[in-house]
């Protein structure tokens, strides 16, 4: 599955590409929003129940997250609600999109609560990672290579476009 590396770089690139103000706040914000769906690990660790790639990986949750985040930022910074909502939804959805290309998982609950089915792409890009092997394991090199290759490619594309 994509790690915070691929998700964070995607959020950074989208923050630079979307019409967000070019402030450090929004660069950090983009990285945070791109990683945010995986914070569902926290209730999973606390309760032991399966939360990962469930509700937080749905379009309805992306919509709700974007509405609330845009409201909070608009209230505190007076920036355009519509612009922040639009950019937040795109960046949050990028996480869902990437997770659908993960090997070693059934996919994500993209259409929750309308469907409990896990959805994933017909071809998969990101290799699985087995966290039970510890912090360092040689098999992680394949995963890291794909993630770094993806990230470097995105950053090169951003550089060419800008
Ligand atoms: Zn995820």
């Amino acid at each position: 599955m994509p790690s915070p590396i691929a998700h964070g770089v995607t959020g950074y690139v989208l923050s630079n590409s979307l019409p967000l103000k070019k402030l450090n706040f929004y660069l950090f914000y983009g990285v945070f929003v791109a990683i945010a769906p995986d914070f569902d690990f926290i209730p999973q660790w606390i309760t032991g129940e399966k939360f990962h790639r469930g509700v937080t990986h749905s379009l309805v949750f992306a919509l709700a997250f974007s509405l609330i985040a845009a409201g909070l930022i608009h209230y505190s910074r007076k920036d355009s609600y519509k612009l922040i909502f639009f950019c937040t939804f795109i960046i949050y959805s990028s996480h869902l999109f990437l997770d659908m290309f993960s090997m070693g998982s059934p996919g994500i609950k993209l259409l929750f609560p309308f469907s409990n089915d896990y959805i994933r792409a017909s071809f998969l890009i990101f290799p699985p990672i087995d966290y039970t092997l510890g912090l360092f394991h040689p098999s992680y090199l394949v995963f890291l290579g794909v993630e770094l290759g993806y990230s470097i490619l995105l950053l090169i594309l951003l550089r060419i476009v800008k």
Side-chain angles (χ1 to χ4, degrees):
M1 69 179 160
S3 74
I5 299 169
H7 289 306
V9 170
T10 303
Y12 174 82
V13 168
L14 287 172
S15 291
N16 270 282
S17 305
L18 294 169
L20 282 171
K21 288 181 182 173
K22 301 294 184 250
L23 299 173
N24 285 336
F25 169 79
Y26 283 107
L27 293 178
F28 171 76
Y29 179 73
V31 172
F32 171 78
V33 169
I35 296 170
D38 280 345
F39 289 144
D40 60 1
F41 270 118
I42 295 169
Q44 188 164 311
W45 283 333
I46 293 170
T47 66
E49 297 293 321
K50 181 170 175 19
F51 283 101
H52 189 50
R53 295 190 173 188
V55 175
T56 62
H57 286 63
S58 69
L59 287 173
V60 169
F61 195 91
L63 193 64
F65 181 94
S66 302
L67 287 168
I68 293 168
L72 292 172
I73 293 170
H74 172 71
Y75 180 75
S76 64
R77 294 179 56 96
K78 308 297 180 214
D79 293 333
S80 166
Y81 180 87
K82 284 182 184 175
L83 178 65
I84 297 166
F85 168 77
F86 171 75
C87 292
T88 302
F89 185 74
I90 297 291
I91 294 169
Y92 195 100
S93 297
S94 76
H95 183 110
L96 310 182
F97 182 74
L98 289 182
D99 274 3
M100 290 196 311
F101 291 90
S102 298
M103 297 175 201
S105 88
I108 61 172
K109 287 188 173 185
L110 186 67
L111 302 177
F112 182 86
F114 306 109
S115 169
N116 271 325
D117 294 341
Y118 284 88
I119 297 173
R120 71 179 193 174
S122 57
F123 66 97
L124 306 172
I125 298 170
F126 297 99
I129 185 164
D130 184 357
Y131 291 108
T132 62
L133 298 174
L135 205 54
F136 301 101
H137 191 271
S139 68
Y140 295 169
L141 292 175
V142 173
F143 157 78
L144 281 173
V146 171
E147 293 246 339
L148 290 175
Y150 166 83
S151 299
I152 290 169
L153 184 66
L154 264 190
L155 292 170
I156 289 171
L157 286 173
L158 175 65
R159 183 105 178 170
I160 290 170
V161 169
K162 289 217 143 203

